Amino acid sequence: MIYKFNIHTDLQITTLEDLGKLQPFLEDGTLKINKSQIARELEKDRRTVDKYLKGYKKKKHRTRSSYLDAYYEIIKELLSASNQQIFYYKSTLWQYLVDNHGLTCPESSFRRYISKHSEFQAYFNQRKKHPVSNKTHVRYETEPGKQAQLDWKESIPFTLKTGETIEVNILVLLLSYSRYRIYQVSLSKSQDVLFSLLDQAFETFCGVPNEIVTDNMKTVMDEARTTYQKGKVNMRFQQFAKDYGFLVKPCIAGRPQTKAKVEAPMKILDEIRAYNGTLTYQELLKLVERINNRVNTRVHKGTGKIPILYYEREKAFLSPLPRDVIRKPYQILTHTVKVNQSSMITYRSNQYSVPPEYIGKRLSLQVHDHMIHVYYNMKLVTLHEVSSKKLNYHDSHYRAICKLTIPSEEVDIYQFAKENLKRIGAMYEND
């Protein structure tokens, strides 16, 4: 490497910066310098001249404190290895601080601040999820009402405030023209749940798009579409599409850019990991709702348009919802049931057991995938298969009931419950 030295070729002193040229003469005493005369000629203070003669150089950039320095310790704690909250993107951290710590600076300023601090930048460097692809693809737009894109954000591990870790699934349905989208949270991604969530989304849209672009998820496709095969849509999903009046457009496997409009919005849902360990399940649902409303009312970076305003235009081009008699079989309805003194709830004239600590309480009941799901304040209490039997007990529930009513020192509770359940089964099995 050839380095170019900055060698002085004259001794003309016209600025304070030129005084550095005299420093060698001062060091060996070969030149007597009149600092007062120089100060007068440059119209500067003598002390300033002395400072420059001794080698002072004015900084090109001022070092000044940043408004964000007040957040340094908060950011340090949030990005520490001991914190279970996860921030994949600087924008996620910025939004978290805006929502929870009163940050008011622009996102661009915040990103620059993080980049200038190597300890913070290193955190995001190691969080990069995928290498940048060099592949190109053709951008295309669709007419209003023509298309929606569907995707799941699947099996997201989330730690609740209680310390319990659950897996949540988030469905997004996005109208391609307006970029207006709906996020929906579920603990299951079964086909019955998918039908119900899509029905809710269409109701929110006030209509149905002409076609839905989807990947090769098992609840939609029996056989994946590939470069060489057309694929096969699941019969139940095909009937659902027929009932609601839309076409199914599966992507070619391995080509996510086909539904790139919905792939990018899914990234924003990494924001929920920023709240790991800080929320209840109900609060998580509220968070996703806030995120949903926020992205629909902000300028879309790709189009420069606000989705909710363009949705108002697109709404008129959607097909009408089918009749209620068609929709009802696809809907998962919530029923409120009260637990009786026998620790049982009733569904369609048959009784199902729950743990005895819920006696007298009102629970929520949903039926899908041939199973009865019983909840208390969003917490899953128990599951039962839909049955034609009058009485349906889980062994553990019955034993717990027995312990509350029969003194354990007089009876072997386990054996008593086993024999009594056998008699109950024999009595009601033919009903």
PDB file of all heavy atoms in Angstrom, residues 77-88 96 123 127 157-165 270-279:
ATOM      1  N   GLU A  77     -30.311  -3.293  28.940  1.00  0.00           N
ATOM      2  CA  GLU A  77     -31.014  -4.336  29.680  1.00  0.00           C
ATOM      3  C   GLU A  77     -31.884  -5.182  28.748  1.00  0.00           C
ATOM      4  O   GLU A  77     -31.913  -6.415  28.846  1.00  0.00           O
ATOM      5  CB  GLU A  77     -31.893  -3.688  30.759  1.00  0.00           C
ATOM      6  CG  GLU A  77     -32.754  -4.666  31.542  1.00  0.00           C
ATOM      7  CD  GLU A  77     -31.958  -5.701  32.318  1.00  0.00           C
ATOM      8  OE1 GLU A  77     -30.797  -5.413  32.681  1.00  0.00           O
ATOM      9  OE2 GLU A  77     -32.497  -6.801  32.545  1.00  0.00           O
ATOM     10  N   LEU A  78     -32.578  -4.528  27.821  1.00  0.00           N
ATOM     11  CA  LEU A  78     -33.457  -5.257  26.891  1.00  0.00           C
ATOM     12  C   LEU A  78     -32.675  -6.194  25.977  1.00  0.00           C
ATOM     13  O   LEU A  78     -33.160  -7.273  25.616  1.00  0.00           O
ATOM     14  CB  LEU A  78     -34.270  -4.270  26.046  1.00  0.00           C
ATOM     15  CG  LEU A  78     -35.368  -3.497  26.776  1.00  0.00           C
ATOM     16  CD1 LEU A  78     -35.951  -2.423  25.873  1.00  0.00           C
ATOM     17  CD2 LEU A  78     -36.473  -4.429  27.270  1.00  0.00           C
ATOM     18  N   LEU A  79     -31.467  -5.800  25.599  1.00  0.00           N
ATOM     19  CA  LEU A  79     -30.657  -6.601  24.679  1.00  0.00           C
ATOM     20  C   LEU A  79     -29.676  -7.529  25.391  1.00  0.00           C
ATOM     21  O   LEU A  79     -28.881  -8.207  24.729  1.00  0.00           O
ATOM     22  CB  LEU A  79     -29.882  -5.679  23.718  1.00  0.00           C
ATOM     23  CG  LEU A  79     -30.717  -4.725  22.861  1.00  0.00           C
ATOM     24  CD1 LEU A  79     -29.818  -3.986  21.871  1.00  0.00           C
ATOM     25  CD2 LEU A  79     -31.831  -5.450  22.120  1.00  0.00           C
ATOM     26  N   SER A  80     -29.761  -7.582  26.705  1.00  0.00           N
ATOM     27  CA  SER A  80     -28.830  -8.433  27.451  1.00  0.00           C
ATOM     28  C   SER A  80     -29.170  -9.906  27.256  1.00  0.00           C
ATOM     29  O   SER A  80     -30.312 -10.276  26.982  1.00  0.00           O
ATOM     30  CB  SER A  80     -28.875  -8.084  28.940  1.00  0.00           C
ATOM     31  OG  SER A  80     -30.126  -8.442  29.505  1.00  0.00           O
ATOM     32  N   ALA A  81     -28.173 -10.749  27.418  1.00  0.00           N
ATOM     33  CA  ALA A  81     -28.358 -12.198  27.232  1.00  0.00           C
ATOM     34  C   ALA A  81     -29.304 -12.788  28.270  1.00  0.00           C
ATOM     35  O   ALA A  81     -29.933 -13.819  28.031  1.00  0.00           O
ATOM     36  CB  ALA A  81     -26.996 -12.888  27.312  1.00  0.00           C
ATOM     37  N   SER A  82     -29.421 -12.146  29.426  1.00  0.00           N
ATOM     38  CA  SER A  82     -30.280 -12.673  30.494  1.00  0.00           C
ATOM     39  C   SER A  82     -31.761 -12.362  30.278  1.00  0.00           C
ATOM     40  O   SER A  82     -32.619 -12.928  30.949  1.00  0.00           O
ATOM     41  CB  SER A  82     -29.838 -12.096  31.843  1.00  0.00           C
ATOM     42  OG  SER A  82     -29.946 -10.678  31.837  1.00  0.00           O
ATOM     43  N   ASN A  83     -32.055 -11.475  29.342  1.00  0.00           N
ATOM     44  CA  ASN A  83     -33.450 -11.088  29.095  1.00  0.00           C
ATOM     45  C   ASN A  83     -34.087 -12.048  28.105  1.00  0.00           C
ATOM     46  O   ASN A  83     -33.548 -12.299  27.025  1.00  0.00           O
ATOM     47  CB  ASN A  83     -33.507  -9.651  28.549  1.00  0.00           C
ATOM     48  CG  ASN A  83     -34.936  -9.147  28.425  1.00  0.00           C
ATOM     49  OD1 ASN A  83     -35.847  -9.645  29.070  1.00  0.00           O
ATOM     50  ND2 ASN A  83     -35.127  -8.149  27.576  1.00  0.00           N
ATOM     51  N   GLN A  84     -35.272 -12.594  28.448  1.00  0.00           N
ATOM     52  CA  GLN A  84     -35.921 -13.559  27.566  1.00  0.00           C
ATOM     53  C   GLN A  84     -36.684 -12.896  26.422  1.00  0.00           C
ATOM     54  O   GLN A  84     -37.134 -13.569  25.494  1.00  0.00           O
ATOM     55  CB  GLN A  84     -36.875 -14.448  28.371  1.00  0.00           C
ATOM     56  CG  GLN A  84     -37.984 -13.695  29.095  1.00  0.00           C
ATOM     57  CD  GLN A  84     -38.824 -14.611  29.962  1.00  0.00           C
ATOM     58  OE1 GLN A  84     -38.918 -15.810  29.693  1.00  0.00           O
ATOM     59  NE2 GLN A  84     -39.434 -14.077  31.003  1.00  0.00           N
ATOM     60  N   GLN A  85     -36.826 -11.578  26.470  1.00  0.00           N
ATOM     61  CA  GLN A  85     -37.445 -10.872  25.349  1.00  0.00           C
ATOM     62  C   GLN A  85     -36.488 -10.891  24.155  1.00  0.00           C
ATOM     63  O   GLN A  85     -35.275 -10.796  24.322  1.00  0.00           O
ATOM     64  CB  GLN A  85     -37.777  -9.432  25.740  1.00  0.00           C
ATOM     65  CG  GLN A  85     -38.832  -9.334  26.837  1.00  0.00           C
ATOM     66  CD  GLN A  85     -38.956  -7.931  27.383  1.00  0.00           C
ATOM     67  OE1 GLN A  85     -38.425  -7.625  28.434  1.00  0.00           O
ATOM     68  NE2 GLN A  85     -39.644  -7.063  26.661  1.00  0.00           N
ATOM     69  N   ILE A  86     -37.060 -11.011  22.954  1.00  0.00           N
ATOM     70  CA  ILE A  86     -36.245 -11.135  21.740  1.00  0.00           C
ATOM     71  C   ILE A  86     -36.610 -10.022  20.764  1.00  0.00           C
ATOM     72  O   ILE A  86     -37.786  -9.785  20.490  1.00  0.00           O
ATOM     73  CB  ILE A  86     -36.462 -12.507  21.066  1.00  0.00           C
ATOM     74  CG1 ILE A  86     -36.086 -13.640  22.030  1.00  0.00           C
ATOM     75  CG2 ILE A  86     -35.630 -12.617  19.789  1.00  0.00           C
ATOM     76  CD1 ILE A  86     -36.442 -15.021  21.510  1.00  0.00           C
ATOM     77  N   PHE A  87     -35.592  -9.360  20.227  1.00  0.00           N
ATOM     78  CA  PHE A  87     -35.788  -8.295  19.240  1.00  0.00           C
ATOM     79  C   PHE A  87     -35.013  -8.667  17.979  1.00  0.00           C
ATOM     80  O   PHE A  87     -33.786  -8.583  17.951  1.00  0.00           O
ATOM     81  CB  PHE A  87     -35.297  -6.952  19.795  1.00  0.00           C
ATOM     82  CG  PHE A  87     -35.993  -6.529  21.055  1.00  0.00           C
ATOM     83  CD1 PHE A  87     -35.532  -6.948  22.290  1.00  0.00           C
ATOM     84  CD2 PHE A  87     -37.118  -5.727  21.006  1.00  0.00           C
ATOM     85  CE1 PHE A  87     -36.163  -6.567  23.465  1.00  0.00           C
ATOM     86  CE2 PHE A  87     -37.768  -5.338  22.162  1.00  0.00           C
ATOM     87  CZ  PHE A  87     -37.297  -5.761  23.399  1.00  0.00           C
ATOM     88  N   TYR A  88     -35.734  -9.097  16.937  1.00  0.00           N
ATOM     89  CA  TYR A  88     -35.061  -9.490  15.704  1.00  0.00           C
ATOM     90  C   TYR A  88     -34.624  -8.286  14.871  1.00  0.00           C
ATOM     91  O   TYR A  88     -33.667  -8.364  14.115  1.00  0.00           O
ATOM     92  CB  TYR A  88     -35.970 -10.378  14.858  1.00  0.00           C
ATOM     93  CG  TYR A  88     -35.998 -11.815  15.327  1.00  0.00           C
ATOM     94  CD1 TYR A  88     -37.148 -12.363  15.870  1.00  0.00           C
ATOM     95  CD2 TYR A  88     -34.863 -12.619  15.256  1.00  0.00           C
ATOM     96  CE1 TYR A  88     -37.180 -13.682  16.309  1.00  0.00           C
ATOM     97  CE2 TYR A  88     -34.875 -13.934  15.693  1.00  0.00           C
ATOM     98  CZ  TYR A  88     -36.040 -14.449  16.212  1.00  0.00           C
ATOM     99  OH  TYR A  88     -36.056 -15.738  16.657  1.00  0.00           O
ATOM    100  N   TYR A  96     -41.073  -0.965  20.493  1.00  0.00           N
ATOM    101  CA  TYR A  96     -41.272  -1.354  21.895  1.00  0.00           C
ATOM    102  C   TYR A  96     -41.012  -0.166  22.824  1.00  0.00           C
ATOM    103  O   TYR A  96     -41.768   0.085  23.770  1.00  0.00           O
ATOM    104  CB  TYR A  96     -40.338  -2.517  22.247  1.00  0.00           C
ATOM    105  CG  TYR A  96     -40.522  -3.024  23.662  1.00  0.00           C
ATOM    106  CD1 TYR A  96     -41.473  -3.989  23.957  1.00  0.00           C
ATOM    107  CD2 TYR A  96     -39.741  -2.530  24.706  1.00  0.00           C
ATOM    108  CE1 TYR A  96     -41.658  -4.448  25.252  1.00  0.00           C
ATOM    109  CE2 TYR A  96     -39.920  -2.980  26.006  1.00  0.00           C
ATOM    110  CZ  TYR A  96     -40.875  -3.945  26.272  1.00  0.00           C
ATOM    111  OH  TYR A  96     -41.052  -4.381  27.559  1.00  0.00           O
ATOM    112  N   TYR A 123     -25.668  -7.342  18.686  1.00  0.00           N
ATOM    113  CA  TYR A 123     -26.877  -8.105  19.031  1.00  0.00           C
ATOM    114  C   TYR A 123     -27.710  -8.379  17.782  1.00  0.00           C
ATOM    115  O   TYR A 123     -28.166  -9.501  17.558  1.00  0.00           O
ATOM    116  CB  TYR A 123     -27.701  -7.322  20.063  1.00  0.00           C
ATOM    117  CG  TYR A 123     -29.028  -7.954  20.419  1.00  0.00           C
ATOM    118  CD1 TYR A 123     -29.147  -8.805  21.512  1.00  0.00           C
ATOM    119  CD2 TYR A 123     -30.173  -7.691  19.673  1.00  0.00           C
ATOM    120  CE1 TYR A 123     -30.363  -9.380  21.850  1.00  0.00           C
ATOM    121  CE2 TYR A 123     -31.389  -8.258  19.999  1.00  0.00           C
ATOM    122  CZ  TYR A 123     -31.475  -9.098  21.091  1.00  0.00           C
ATOM    123  OH  TYR A 123     -32.690  -9.669  21.408  1.00  0.00           O
ATOM    124  N   ARG A 127     -28.675 -11.817  15.237  1.00  0.00           N
ATOM    125  CA  ARG A 127     -30.090 -12.163  15.121  1.00  0.00           C
ATOM    126  C   ARG A 127     -30.561 -12.255  13.678  1.00  0.00           C
ATOM    127  O   ARG A 127     -31.729 -12.560  13.434  1.00  0.00           O
ATOM    128  CB  ARG A 127     -30.953 -11.122  15.837  1.00  0.00           C
ATOM    129  CG  ARG A 127     -30.820 -11.151  17.341  1.00  0.00           C
ATOM    130  CD  ARG A 127     -31.524 -12.338  17.930  1.00  0.00           C
ATOM    131  NE  ARG A 127     -31.316 -12.427  19.368  1.00  0.00           N
ATOM    132  CZ  ARG A 127     -31.674 -13.453  20.103  1.00  0.00           C
ATOM    133  NH1 ARG A 127     -32.247 -14.488  19.534  1.00  0.00           N
ATOM    134  NH2 ARG A 127     -31.445 -13.468  21.394  1.00  0.00           N
ATOM    135  N   PRO A 157     -43.144 -20.047  19.838  1.00  0.00           N
ATOM    136  CA  PRO A 157     -43.074 -20.247  21.295  1.00  0.00           C
ATOM    137  C   PRO A 157     -43.171 -18.906  22.007  1.00  0.00           C
ATOM    138  O   PRO A 157     -42.463 -17.954  21.656  1.00  0.00           O
ATOM    139  CB  PRO A 157     -41.704 -20.903  21.491  1.00  0.00           C
ATOM    140  CG  PRO A 157     -40.900 -20.509  20.302  1.00  0.00           C
ATOM    141  CD  PRO A 157     -41.854 -20.308  19.166  1.00  0.00           C
ATOM    142  N   PHE A 158     -44.063 -18.820  22.972  1.00  0.00           N
ATOM    143  CA  PHE A 158     -44.255 -17.567  23.700  1.00  0.00           C
ATOM    144  C   PHE A 158     -44.390 -17.878  25.182  1.00  0.00           C
ATOM    145  O   PHE A 158     -45.203 -18.721  25.575  1.00  0.00           O
ATOM    146  CB  PHE A 158     -45.498 -16.822  23.199  1.00  0.00           C
ATOM    147  CG  PHE A 158     -45.666 -15.462  23.817  1.00  0.00           C
ATOM    148  CD1 PHE A 158     -44.974 -14.374  23.315  1.00  0.00           C
ATOM    149  CD2 PHE A 158     -46.505 -15.269  24.911  1.00  0.00           C
ATOM    150  CE1 PHE A 158     -45.107 -13.116  23.884  1.00  0.00           C
ATOM    151  CE2 PHE A 158     -46.650 -14.018  25.484  1.00  0.00           C
ATOM    152  CZ  PHE A 158     -45.954 -12.932  24.971  1.00  0.00           C
ATOM    153  N   THR A 159     -43.586 -17.202  25.995  1.00  0.00           N
ATOM    154  CA  THR A 159     -43.633 -17.397  27.442  1.00  0.00           C
ATOM    155  C   THR A 159     -44.580 -16.374  28.055  1.00  0.00           C
ATOM    156  O   THR A 159     -44.405 -15.166  27.870  1.00  0.00           O
ATOM    157  CB  THR A 159     -42.228 -17.251  28.061  1.00  0.00           C
ATOM    158  OG1 THR A 159     -41.338 -18.168  27.424  1.00  0.00           O
ATOM    159  CG2 THR A 159     -42.270 -17.536  29.553  1.00  0.00           C
ATOM    160  N   LEU A 160     -45.583 -16.873  28.756  1.00  0.00           N
ATOM    161  CA  LEU A 160     -46.553 -15.996  29.400  1.00  0.00           C
ATOM    162  C   LEU A 160     -45.971 -15.393  30.671  1.00  0.00           C
ATOM    163  O   LEU A 160     -44.925 -15.818  31.172  1.00  0.00           O
ATOM    164  CB  LEU A 160     -47.822 -16.776  29.733  1.00  0.00           C
ATOM    165  CG  LEU A 160     -48.581 -17.382  28.535  1.00  0.00           C
ATOM    166  CD1 LEU A 160     -49.739 -18.243  29.038  1.00  0.00           C
ATOM    167  CD2 LEU A 160     -49.093 -16.298  27.600  1.00  0.00           C
ATOM    168  N   LYS A 161     -46.663 -14.406  31.213  1.00  0.00           N
ATOM    169  CA  LYS A 161     -46.242 -13.759  32.451  1.00  0.00           C
ATOM    170  C   LYS A 161     -46.115 -14.757  33.597  1.00  0.00           C
ATOM    171  O   LYS A 161     -45.295 -14.587  34.505  1.00  0.00           O
ATOM    172  CB  LYS A 161     -47.259 -12.665  32.806  1.00  0.00           C
ATOM    173  CG  LYS A 161     -46.864 -11.786  33.966  1.00  0.00           C
ATOM    174  CD  LYS A 161     -48.001 -10.859  34.359  1.00  0.00           C
ATOM    175  CE  LYS A 161     -48.269  -9.816  33.290  1.00  0.00           C
ATOM    176  NZ  LYS A 161     -49.296  -8.827  33.720  1.00  0.00           N
ATOM    177  N   THR A 162     -46.917 -15.819  33.536  1.00  0.00           N
ATOM    178  CA  THR A 162     -46.902 -16.836  34.590  1.00  0.00           C
ATOM    179  C   THR A 162     -45.684 -17.755  34.508  1.00  0.00           C
ATOM    180  O   THR A 162     -45.457 -18.555  35.408  1.00  0.00           O
ATOM    181  CB  THR A 162     -48.168 -17.702  34.491  1.00  0.00           C
ATOM    182  OG1 THR A 162     -48.208 -18.320  33.192  1.00  0.00           O
ATOM    183  CG2 THR A 162     -49.414 -16.865  34.685  1.00  0.00           C
ATOM    184  N   GLY A 163     -44.922 -17.666  33.416  1.00  0.00           N
ATOM    185  CA  GLY A 163     -43.785 -18.554  33.214  1.00  0.00           C
ATOM    186  C   GLY A 163     -44.108 -19.730  32.317  1.00  0.00           C
ATOM    187  O   GLY A 163     -43.213 -20.448  31.871  1.00  0.00           O
ATOM    188  N   GLU A 164     -45.407 -19.940  32.028  1.00  0.00           N
ATOM    189  CA  GLU A 164     -45.828 -21.040  31.144  1.00  0.00           C
ATOM    190  C   GLU A 164     -45.489 -20.703  29.694  1.00  0.00           C
ATOM    191  O   GLU A 164     -45.725 -19.576  29.241  1.00  0.00           O
ATOM    192  CB  GLU A 164     -47.330 -21.265  31.291  1.00  0.00           C
ATOM    193  CG  GLU A 164     -47.889 -22.332  30.371  1.00  0.00           C
ATOM    194  CD  GLU A 164     -49.419 -22.376  30.378  1.00  0.00           C
ATOM    195  OE1 GLU A 164     -50.040 -21.546  31.089  1.00  0.00           O
ATOM    196  OE2 GLU A 164     -49.993 -23.226  29.665  1.00  0.00           O
ATOM    197  N   THR A 165     -44.938 -21.653  28.968  1.00  0.00           N
ATOM    198  CA  THR A 165     -44.625 -21.456  27.552  1.00  0.00           C
ATOM    199  C   THR A 165     -45.691 -22.138  26.697  1.00  0.00           C
ATOM    200  O   THR A 165     -45.992 -23.314  26.890  1.00  0.00           O
ATOM    201  CB  THR A 165     -43.239 -22.018  27.196  1.00  0.00           C
ATOM    202  OG1 THR A 165     -42.250 -21.322  27.959  1.00  0.00           O
ATOM    203  CG2 THR A 165     -42.937 -21.825  25.720  1.00  0.00           C
ATOM    204  N   ASP A 270     -42.879 -10.780  14.444  1.00  0.00           N
ATOM    205  CA  ASP A 270     -41.765 -11.071  15.345  1.00  0.00           C
ATOM    206  C   ASP A 270     -41.759 -10.085  16.513  1.00  0.00           C
ATOM    207  O   ASP A 270     -41.070 -10.302  17.514  1.00  0.00           O
ATOM    208  CB  ASP A 270     -40.433 -10.990  14.590  1.00  0.00           C
ATOM    209  CG  ASP A 270     -40.218 -12.200  13.694  1.00  0.00           C
ATOM    210  OD1 ASP A 270     -40.486 -13.318  14.150  1.00  0.00           O
ATOM    211  OD2 ASP A 270     -39.801 -12.020  12.545  1.00  0.00           O
ATOM    212  N   GLU A 271     -42.555  -9.023  16.377  1.00  0.00           N
ATOM    213  CA  GLU A 271     -42.661  -8.039  17.448  1.00  0.00           C
ATOM    214  C   GLU A 271     -43.200  -8.655  18.735  1.00  0.00           C
ATOM    215  O   GLU A 271     -42.874  -8.197  19.827  1.00  0.00           O
ATOM    216  CB  GLU A 271     -43.562  -6.880  16.998  1.00  0.00           C
ATOM    217  CG  GLU A 271     -43.650  -5.745  17.998  1.00  0.00           C
ATOM    218  CD  GLU A 271     -44.493  -4.589  17.481  1.00  0.00           C
ATOM    219  OE1 GLU A 271     -44.629  -4.450  16.247  1.00  0.00           O
ATOM    220  OE2 GLU A 271     -45.001  -3.833  18.316  1.00  0.00           O
ATOM    221  N   ILE A 272     -44.019  -9.700  18.625  1.00  0.00           N
ATOM    222  CA  ILE A 272     -44.600 -10.265  19.844  1.00  0.00           C
ATOM    223  C   ILE A 272     -43.524 -10.896  20.722  1.00  0.00           C
ATOM    224  O   ILE A 272     -43.689 -10.987  21.944  1.00  0.00           O
ATOM    225  CB  ILE A 272     -45.718 -11.284  19.541  1.00  0.00           C
ATOM    226  CG1 ILE A 272     -45.170 -12.594  18.975  1.00  0.00           C
ATOM    227  CG2 ILE A 272     -46.769 -10.686  18.631  1.00  0.00           C
ATOM    228  CD1 ILE A 272     -46.219 -13.667  18.867  1.00  0.00           C
ATOM    229  N   ARG A 273     -42.401 -11.321  20.125  1.00  0.00           N
ATOM    230  CA  ARG A 273     -41.320 -11.908  20.931  1.00  0.00           C
ATOM    231  C   ARG A 273     -40.678 -10.867  21.836  1.00  0.00           C
ATOM    232  O   ARG A 273     -40.027 -11.211  22.823  1.00  0.00           O
ATOM    233  CB  ARG A 273     -40.265 -12.531  20.018  1.00  0.00           C
ATOM    234  CG  ARG A 273     -40.781 -13.706  19.183  1.00  0.00           C
ATOM    235  CD  ARG A 273     -39.680 -14.203  18.275  1.00  0.00           C
ATOM    236  NE  ARG A 273     -40.161 -15.159  17.295  1.00  0.00           N
ATOM    237  CZ  ARG A 273     -40.126 -16.480  17.452  1.00  0.00           C
ATOM    238  NH1 ARG A 273     -39.663 -16.991  18.575  1.00  0.00           N
ATOM    239  NH2 ARG A 273     -40.560 -17.284  16.504  1.00  0.00           N
ATOM    240  N   ALA A 274     -40.863  -9.604  21.493  1.00  0.00           N
ATOM    241  CA  ALA A 274     -40.335  -8.534  22.342  1.00  0.00           C
ATOM    242  C   ALA A 274     -41.071  -8.478  23.677  1.00  0.00           C
ATOM    243  O   ALA A 274     -40.609  -7.819  24.613  1.00  0.00           O
ATOM    244  CB  ALA A 274     -40.447  -7.191  21.622  1.00  0.00           C
ATOM    245  N   TYR A 275     -42.204  -9.161  23.765  1.00  0.00           N
ATOM    246  CA  TYR A 275     -43.006  -9.151  24.998  1.00  0.00           C
ATOM    247  C   TYR A 275     -42.954 -10.499  25.714  1.00  0.00           C
ATOM    248  O   TYR A 275     -43.772 -10.765  26.595  1.00  0.00           O
ATOM    249  CB  TYR A 275     -44.457  -8.791  24.666  1.00  0.00           C
ATOM    250  CG  TYR A 275     -44.618  -7.348  24.241  1.00  0.00           C
ATOM    251  CD1 TYR A 275     -44.383  -6.954  22.924  1.00  0.00           C
ATOM    252  CD2 TYR A 275     -44.998  -6.371  25.154  1.00  0.00           C
ATOM    253  CE1 TYR A 275     -44.516  -5.637  22.534  1.00  0.00           C
ATOM    254  CE2 TYR A 275     -45.137  -5.040  24.774  1.00  0.00           C
ATOM    255  CZ  TYR A 275     -44.897  -4.683  23.464  1.00  0.00           C
ATOM    256  OH  TYR A 275     -45.030  -3.372  23.091  1.00  0.00           O
ATOM    257  N   ASN A 276     -42.000 -11.337  25.345  1.00  0.00           N
ATOM    258  CA  ASN A 276     -41.845 -12.641  25.985  1.00  0.00           C
ATOM    259  C   ASN A 276     -41.765 -12.494  27.500  1.00  0.00           C
ATOM    260  O   ASN A 276     -40.953 -11.729  28.012  1.00  0.00           O
ATOM    261  CB  ASN A 276     -40.559 -13.309  25.485  1.00  0.00           C
ATOM    262  CG  ASN A 276     -40.819 -14.670  24.893  1.00  0.00           C
ATOM    263  OD1 ASN A 276     -41.955 -15.060  24.667  1.00  0.00           O
ATOM    264  ND2 ASN A 276     -39.761 -15.415  24.643  1.00  0.00           N
ATOM    265  N   GLY A 277     -42.599 -13.234  28.209  1.00  0.00           N
ATOM    266  CA  GLY A 277     -42.544 -13.240  29.668  1.00  0.00           C
ATOM    267  C   GLY A 277     -43.208 -12.054  30.341  1.00  0.00           C
ATOM    268  O   GLY A 277     -43.114 -11.915  31.565  1.00  0.00           O
ATOM    269  N   THR A 278     -43.881 -11.179  29.576  1.00  0.00           N
ATOM    270  CA  THR A 278     -44.451  -9.953  30.165  1.00  0.00           C
ATOM    271  C   THR A 278     -45.968  -9.870  30.059  1.00  0.00           C
ATOM    272  O   THR A 278     -46.562  -8.945  30.613  1.00  0.00           O
ATOM    273  CB  THR A 278     -43.856  -8.705  29.492  1.00  0.00           C
ATOM    274  OG1 THR A 278     -44.281  -8.646  28.115  1.00  0.00           O
ATOM    275  CG2 THR A 278     -42.323  -8.724  29.542  1.00  0.00           C
ATOM    276  N   LEU A 279     -46.606 -10.806  29.337  1.00  0.00           N
ATOM    277  CA  LEU A 279     -48.039 -10.702  29.067  1.00  0.00           C
ATOM    278  C   LEU A 279     -48.799 -11.969  29.457  1.00  0.00           C
ATOM    279  O   LEU A 279     -48.236 -13.065  29.465  1.00  0.00           O
ATOM    280  CB  LEU A 279     -48.293 -10.447  27.571  1.00  0.00           C
ATOM    281  CG  LEU A 279     -47.634  -9.222  26.923  1.00  0.00           C
ATOM    282  CD1 LEU A 279     -47.941  -9.219  25.429  1.00  0.00           C
ATOM    283  CD2 LEU A 279     -48.102  -7.938  27.569  1.00  0.00           C
TER     284      LEU A 279
END
